[in-house]
Amino acid sequence: AQKITQTQPGMFVQEKEAVTLDCTYDTSDPSYGLFWYKQPSSGEMIFLIYQGSYDQQNATEGRYSLNFQKARKSANLVISASQLGDSAMYFCAMREVYNQGGKLIFGQGTELSVKP
Amino acid sequence: DSGVTQTPKHLITATGQRVTLRCSPRSGDLSVYWYQQSLDQGLQFLIQYYNGEERAKGNILERFSAQQFPDLHSELNLSSLELGDSALYFCASSVAEREETQYFGPGTRLLVL
């Protein structure tokens, strides 16, 4: 069963506008963590933001924020004031705390293109 | 720069061969994870080590093996290589065993011809 779903294979956004990348997840673990990573065309995986399942407030890191809706099992990434350098693949990932080890389960990714 | 290093960056080899990928975690990190990224499978967890001991196994083939050494660096060994093993192999590290953010290395791009 797919545990992380990213339904947008590709998205376009105008420079300086905000964009939301969707992520839904499925787990029976009461404690879990949700992550977003960015993968530019150069290939490296860059950590962006983390949300714990018990965190009361949505996580924010600079221009990145995570819209966490626990009841709907969604963890959407919001990028404000998009920049050309934001063009990349974005992956949502989940870690189930009580699962064995600390492995991350990734979605299929969303390719974001920022237009000047 | 995440602080995780991986060598080599690129590797081209032939079917049936064996290769070793190396990873050095961030200073102070005890956990090392290996992931495989391919076009058809996406990003898949392979194996995790914590302070020298295997902690979790994912979809790792029997032809693949890994270990973590006393200095905490890790190696992923891939043998009897097949065309389908061509992929980007990532190493990631974290401070603790479960609950910390994983920081990824730049990856090793393996091409099997």
Side-chain angles (χ1 to χ4, degrees), chain A residues 37-59:
Chain A
Y37 287 84
K38 172 184 178 181
Q39 187 176 36
S41 57
S42 51
E44 72 266 34
M45 292 286 287
I46 302 167
F47 165 71
L48 295 178
I49 196 165
Y50 164 79
Q51 178 86 41
S53 59
Y54 292 117
D55 293 343
Q56 294 295 316
Q57 296 199 338
N58 288 340

Side-chain angles (χ1 to χ4, degrees), chain A:
Chain A
Q2 186 152 359
K3 294 195 170 188
I4 294 283
T5 303
Q6 294 181 252
T7 57
Q8 306 153 314
M11 285 195 70
F12 289 92
V13 65
Q14 205 69 34
E15 193 179 8
K16 299 180 185 176
E17 291 185 351
V19 63
T20 297
L21 307 184
D22 294 342
C23 172
T24 57
Y25 60 92
D26 184 29
T27 181
S28 57
D29 195 325
S31 184
Y32 51 91
L34 296 158
F35 301 80
W36 278 91
Y37 287 84
K38 172 184 178 181
Q39 187 176 36
S41 57
S42 51
E44 72 266 34
M45 292 286 287
I46 302 167
F47 165 71
L48 295 178
I49 196 165
Y50 164 79
Q51 178 86 41
S53 59
Y54 292 117
D55 293 343
Q56 294 295 316
Q57 296 199 338
N58 288 340
T60 61
E61 289 284 351
R63 294 186 300 111
Y64 304 108
S65 61
L66 200 152
N67 184 0
F68 181 46
Q69 298 186 47
K70 195 170 183 177
R72 298 177 64 179
K73 293 190 174 179
S74 76
N76 298 338
L77 176 70
V78 181
I79 306 174
S80 63
S82 297
Q83 302 171 356
L84 296 178
D86 294 333
S87 294
M89 282 289 289
Y90 288 82
F91 291 94
C92 180
M94 177 176 67
R95 179 186 56 223
E96 295 165 316
V97 173
Y98 296 111
N99 196 4
Q100 56 167 176
K103 70 178 184 181
L104 292 176
I105 303 164
F106 285 87
Q108 291 301 309
T110 295
E111 185 170 10
L112 178 67
S113 298
V114 180
K115 293 181 171 181

Side-chain angles (χ1 to χ4, degrees), chain B residues 4 6 23 25 31-35 90-94 102-105:
Chain B
V4 180
Q6 288 187 248
C23 167
S31 259
V32 169
Y33 311 78
W34 288 96
Y35 293 87
F90 285 109
C91 167
S93 73
S94 65
Q102 295 177 28
Y103 292 91
F104 282 69

Side-chain angles (χ1 to χ4, degrees), chain B residues 1-37:
Chain B
D1 186 349
S2 67
V4 180
T5 61
Q6 288 187 248
T7 57
K9 293 190 83 170
H10 302 276
L11 200 47
I12 302 174
T13 189
T15 54
Q17 296 297 306
R18 172 189 169 95
V19 297
T20 297
L21 312 184
R22 183 188 168 102
C23 167
S24 293
R26 294 186 317 158
S27 177
D29 285 1
L30 298 178
S31 259
V32 169
Y33 311 78
W34 288 96
Y35 293 87
Q36 179 194 57
Q37 185 178 30

